[in-house]
Amino acid sequence: MRLRDHPFKRAYHKPEDDIAEGFYLPAVRSSLCYDRAVGFFSSTVFLLAWPSLKTFAAAGGRMRLICSPVLSDDDHEALREGYSDKAEATAGDSIAEAFQRLLASEGLQKPAVVLASLVAAGVIECKIAWVGPEAGGRPKRLFHDKVGILRDADGDQIAFKGSMNETWPGLARDGNLESVDVFASWRDEGELSRVRDEAEYFERLWNDDWPGVTVRPFPETARSAIVSAADAGRWPDFVDEICLELEKAARWSAEAGKADGRTPRPHQVVALEAWEAGGRRGILKHATGSGKTFTALCAIGDSFRRREMPLVLVPSDLLLRQWEEELRTTFSGIGLQLMICGGGHDRWRQGAGLRSWTRRHTDGPPRAVLATLQTASRDEFRALCVQGEHLFMVADEAHRLGAMAARRLFDLDTGPRLGLSATPERAGDPEGTAALMAYFGGVVPPPFSLEDAIRAKALTPYAYHVHMVRLDHDERDTWNQLTDRFRRLYARAAAGGNLEEGLGARLKLLLIQRARIIKSARAKTPLAAEVVGAHYRPGQRWIVYCDDQGQLREVKAALQAKGLPDVHEYHSAMPGDRERTLELFNERGGVVVSIRCLDEGVDIPTVSHALILASSRNPREFIQRRGRVLRRAPGKVLAYLHDVVVTPEPDDDDAMGGSVLKGELARAIEFGEHAINPAAVADLKRIAAAAGLDWSALTENGFEADEDEDAVGDVIADSHLETPNV
């Protein structure tokens, strides 16, 4: 079709108009020449009109693009005087780096190769522009005009201008082209005149003939970096794959149709499709910070289209508030009706309201229930909940459902089930883990590990530093006493073949007391002050994880005594406004001294440093603590983890002393394996070897049970007894 064969409107506005399908895609498909002034070079991959691209290229189409280089603040300051040889060299380096980032990005690698291939084939020619001295030469003043001119084989032209905020995947069915004015050369003299004006403007820009703007060919360093990634044979296949990925992402998006709406990343689409293929049951074992919540929101959006009733379960009041905000914001456009249960909300009880709310509804706005585990586990709640295939259970931090009290929820007869957890396997609790897996149908393949998340740019790479401390003499004595008592009780249980009444609780208490000697070792407080004092710089954001409020107070006082500014505490019993504390921390930086309430739910992506004093051999705890500091944020390229590990005295020949070392090294080696500085792990392995330990087996049996749940299951590595079932 020719351009004039399409019934193009004079103006398009989201959300009433589908600008991609109504204008952009058919216009590119019908054209042979496409001139475009765009923002930054890296955004060029967003305007290639993917479903139309192969047709455009096969017909001999050519694009001319003018864009701005992406420059740092320092570069802008250095280039205050506008174009120069140095400016061109700096711009070339900047574009080359931007292109490498595209290649390294999970979602943009294929579009980057397509772009490179089109540049190498001469289909796309790029030039760069920046504001010159006649326009003031101020730092950060960029060429950021947005105009496009399309011409077909008959010479007909279209010019378009507008917000045109193409974003990935900006040309999907729910594309984010917000508004655009369209002028067609064949419609009337006024529009023809406007098209000629815009075409002349672009031509003068292209030829470096516009006052105050300098336009130059791409620097050779930038072009070489781009062309080196070209793949002439595969780029057409990549276009087909990109189009398919766009369709899948648009299909699953929980915010389809919203301007600037989010779409799931490739690993989230893969997870959703695998979950669907598994009968819409399973647990997403995805690293902390990799977007599990949004993946679940996408599944919930799909369930609304099926007229199902989501039941979202969370383990805390804090997560209840966060999920409420997520649900209301994400589904604001479809009139979601939400019943909240727990956290002070009891409307579900009134007049048996939960019963009518959870019935299958075939018309009207969608409904959902959001409840805490504590509330949902009650007999009254489960009795009022109308069960059946229409009920869709979503469990955040799903490992919590494996605890004895929460397992009552496994009596609920539901349709789809989706669990979310970075660590669904419950440490030291095989029975709870088995019940959890049986109810949800196991882990959805493939898991999305920490290593996967860092590679996909969903999490920040990190450096890991270990600091060694030892127990004081009286702490060692107490440790040994508790160990002896535990051994005697454990031996009695093994000899009798079963546990006497109350013996299981006594064993668990001894384990907890012993573990807390390590967590609250006195040497940790002065070490914390030393580490933070030596490394903290104004404007940074640190988290110091403490074991209990006593240690928290000591550490806070020690940091303040060092003269560190902006030292905050954050925990459930703290005085003052917790939310305001986090706001100040995010705004000004500083140090937050916290206990376990930051393990789940609290999102502070700007945190760049963590010091872990409350060591834990429970993988859930340390994985979540690591995840807190690895969340991505603007300008954050690397995170730093400082870990304090307790080692026994050199002359400690108590076999149980070895288990202290094993547990501490198990956690530390797990932390260090994925860090950018492998020397940290090498040091730990040398320590293990010196103690006669097989470091490769440490993470297999060096963990203890979760202290605050119903499981005990501590693995006594140096004993040959079986774990008692308590």
Side-chain angles (χ1 to χ4, degrees):
M1 295 178 68
R2 302 172 301 171
L3 283 172
R4 67 170 60 214
D5 294 332
H6 296 282
F8 293 130
K9 298 170 62 174
R10 285 178 166 81
Y12 293 84
H13 303 280
K14 289 274 289 185
E16 184 174 304
D17 297 314
D18 185 340
I19 305 178
E21 287 292 346
F23 165 65
Y24 197 76
L25 299 178
V28 172
R29 191 180 299 117
S30 300
S31 298
L32 285 179
C33 297
Y34 180 14
D35 293 336
R36 185 77 163 100
V38 70
F40 299 117
F41 166 74
S42 57
S43 63
T44 58
V45 297
F46 303 134
L47 57 84
L48 294 182
W50 302 104
S52 305
L53 184 57
K54 289 203 298 184
T55 302
F56 178 84
R62 294 293 182 267
M63 298 185 194
R64 295 189 299 177
L65 301 177
I66 301 174
C67 57
S68 293
V70 179
L71 302 176
S72 68
D73 290 348
D74 291 342
D75 291 336
H76 278 294
E77 188 64 32
L79 305 181
R80 177 183 291 274
E81 300 306 321
Y83 175 78
S84 66
D85 290 341
K86 180 180 179 182
E88 185 169 324
T90 302
D93 293 341
S94 172
I95 292 169
E97 291 174 7
F99 186 75
Q100 291 304 315
R101 286 194 294 270
L102 292 177
L103 284 175
S105 173
E106 174 192 27
L108 297 178
Q109 187 265 339
K110 289 178 185 176
V113 172
V114 173
L115 174 61
S117 304
L118 295 176
V119 170
V123 176
I124 296 178
E125 184 179 359
C126 301
K127 291 188 177 183
I128 55 174
W130 56 86
V131 175
E134 292 87 347
R138 295 193 302 273
K140 296 191 178 181
R141 179 159 183 160
L142 301 173
F143 175 79
H144 206 262
D145 202 357
K146 292 183 179 179
V147 62
I149 301 99
L150 293 153
R151 185 173 73 250
D152 66 13
D154 291 342
D156 286 334
Q157 289 181 286
I158 278 179
F160 60 90
K161 297 191 77 171
S163 61
M164 295 300 292
N165 292 319
E166 294 111 331
T167 58
W168 179 258
L171 292 174
R173 300 300 180 263
D174 60 334
N176 299 325
L177 302 180
E178 296 174 4
S179 64
V180 61
D181 294 325
V182 177
F183 308 96
S185 63
W186 62 89
R187 280 202 288 236
D188 58 49
E189 285 298 321
E191 291 197 35
L192 174 61
S193 177
R194 185 64 184 269
V195 170
R196 286 173 174 169
D197 287 346
E198 299 299 343
E200 181 187 1
Y201 168 65
F202 184 90
E203 202 66 36
R204 288 182 62 187
L205 283 172
W206 187 259
N207 293 318
D208 191 27
D209 186 30
W210 194 264
V213 180
T214 301
V215 177
R216 289 287 187 272
F218 251 32
E220 187 55 37
T221 55
R223 193 178 190 283
S224 297
I226 294 167
V227 170
S228 65
D231 191 333
R234 296 187 64 196
W235 77 260
D237 294 334
F238 280 178
V239 171
D240 293 337
E241 293 171 16
I242 291 165
C243 291
L244 182 59
E245 290 167 6
L246 290 173
E247 290 177 3
K248 289 179 178 179
R251 178 236 159 167
W252 280 107
S253 175
E255 297 182 342
K258 278 189 175 183
D260 299 321
R262 294 173 292 174
T263 52
R265 295 167 65 101
H267 76 270
Q268 293 170 312
V269 173
V270 168
L272 288 163
E273 292 191 329
W275 173 72
E276 185 177 54
R280 300 175 73 217
R281 289 195 175 182
I283 299 173
L284 298 185
K285 184 179 180 180
H286 287 198
T288 299
S290 61
K292 294 187 295 295
T293 300
F294 185 66
T295 308
L297 290 169
C298 291
I300 290 171
D302 178 66
S303 79
F304 287 147
R305 292 187 284 273
R306 300 169 185 258
R307 305 305 303 180
E308 293 171 345
M309 223 294 307
L311 167 61
V312 182
L313 305 175
V314 298
S316 68
D317 291 353
L318 176 62
L319 280 172
L320 189 79
R321 293 192 295 271
Q322 291 186 347
W323 267 92
E324 178 185 3
E325 182 178 357
E326 287 277 7
L327 287 164
R328 294 194 188 281
T329 300
T330 302
F331 301 111
S332 59
I334 60 174
L336 172 64
Q337 295 183 354
L338 185 63
M339 175 175 281
I340 303 174
C341 311
H345 301 270
D346 63 356
R347 184 162 62 98
W348 61 276
R349 280 194 176 112
Q350 299 168 12
L354 183 63
R355 178 173 291 125
S356 62
W357 196 269
T358 53
R359 288 195 184 106
R360 179 185 291 276
H361 294 270
T362 57
D363 55 10
R367 293 185 175 187
V369 172
L370 173 62
T372 61
L373 286 183
Q374 182 180 11
T375 297
S377 299
R378 293 175 179 169
D379 292 340
E380 180 184 5
F381 182 97
R382 291 180 291 115
L384 289 174
C385 192
V386 177
Q387 304 178 41
E389 288 297 312
H390 70 290
L391 194 64
F392 171 27
M393 179 186 286
V394 179
D396 196 8
E397 306 294 353
H399 52 269
R400 294 288 192 183
L401 271 70
M404 187 66 73
R407 285 183 218 166
R408 289 178 294 205
L409 284 163
F410 296 163
D411 294 335
L412 284 178
D413 179 19
T414 75
R417 297 168 189 166
L418 178 63
L420 312 172
S421 179
T423 52
E425 297 86 1
R426 291 168 53 80
D429 184 14
E431 183 180 337
T433 299
L436 181 72
M437 296 296 174
Y439 185 73
F440 280 93
V443 170
V444 176
F448 193 65
S449 67
L450 175 81
E451 196 172 9
D452 295 329
I454 292 175
R455 188 184 306 115
K457 309 298 182 185
L459 291 178
T460 308
Y462 67 97
Y464 181 62
H465 304 282
V466 179
H467 306 273
M468 298 293 190
V469 297
R470 288 177 174 160
L471 297 177
D472 289 349
H473 289 297
D474 61 330
E475 290 172 331
R476 278 186 58 209
D477 291 342
T478 304
W479 169 273
N480 290 333
Q481 291 170 13
L482 291 170
T483 297
D484 290 342
R485 290 169 58 190
F486 183 89
R487 279 180 160 176
R488 289 195 299 270
L489 287 173
Y490 194 25
R492 191 166 74 194
N498 53 44
L499 291 176
E500 301 173 11
E501 186 176 354
L503 190 57
R506 291 166 64 190
L507 283 169
K508 181 175 182 180
L509 180 60
L510 289 171
L511 291 176
I512 292 173
Q513 290 174 335
R514 192 183 66 175
R516 285 185 176 167
I517 292 174
I518 304 302
K519 290 185 178 183
S520 58
R522 292 190 195 95
K524 291 183 177 182
T525 296
L527 179 65
E530 178 184 337
V531 170
V532 180
H535 296 280
Y536 176 78
R537 298 293 179 269
Q540 292 179 348
R541 291 162 179 83
W542 284 61
I543 287 181
V544 180
Y545 284 102
C546 297
D547 179 50
D548 55 30
Q549 291 190 30
Q551 188 181 66
L552 183 148
R553 287 190 294 270
E554 292 174 1
V555 170
K556 182 180 178 183
L559 294 176
Q560 290 173 329
K562 279 274 188 182
L564 289 165
D566 297 318
V567 179
H568 312 279
E569 60 181 279
Y570 188 95
H571 53 91
S572 57
M574 65 177 283
D577 188 335
R578 283 191 290 169
E579 292 186 5
R580 181 55 182 160
T581 295
L582 292 185
E583 288 175 8
L584 289 173
F585 177 67
N586 276 315
E587 292 169 5
R588 301 192 312 209
V591 182
V592 162
V593 186
S594 175
I595 47 180
R596 294 182 66 178
C597 55
L598 277 183
D599 285 354
E600 294 176 349
V602 176
D603 188 8
I604 316 176
T606 56
V607 169
S608 56
H609 294 70
L611 172 61
I612 301 175
L613 302 179
S615 55
S616 171
R617 288 188 281 175
N618 185 302
R620 176 183 63 80
E621 291 183 359
F622 70 68
I623 287 172
Q624 286 172 340
R625 287 167 186 165
R626 177 175 55 190
R628 292 301 105 197
V629 76
L630 300 190
R631 292 180 183 272
R632 296 190 64 83
K636 180 177 171 182
V637 296
L638 188 64
Y640 300 86
L641 292 176
H642 294 268
D643 197 3
V644 180
V645 174
V646 176
T647 59
E649 295 294 329
D651 61 348
D652 190 347
D653 57 1
D654 178 11
M656 291 306 297
S659 74
V660 182
L661 183 60
K662 284 184 180 180
E664 291 285 277
L665 289 179
R667 183 194 74 253
I669 290 174
E670 168 65 23
F671 265 52
E673 286 286 358
H674 304 296
I676 65 169
N677 53 327
V681 176
D683 291 343
L684 293 168
K685 291 177 180 178
R686 281 195 293 270
I687 294 170
L693 301 174
D694 177 8
W695 64 265
S696 63
L698 291 175
T699 55
E700 296 178 6
N701 56 17
F703 302 130
E704 287 188 348
D706 205 345
E707 295 171 8
D708 65 340
E709 300 184 36
D710 294 329
V712 178
D714 181 72
V715 178
I716 309 301
D718 294 294
S719 129
H720 299 288
L721 302 175
E722 296 213 344
T723 303
N725 182 20
V726 277

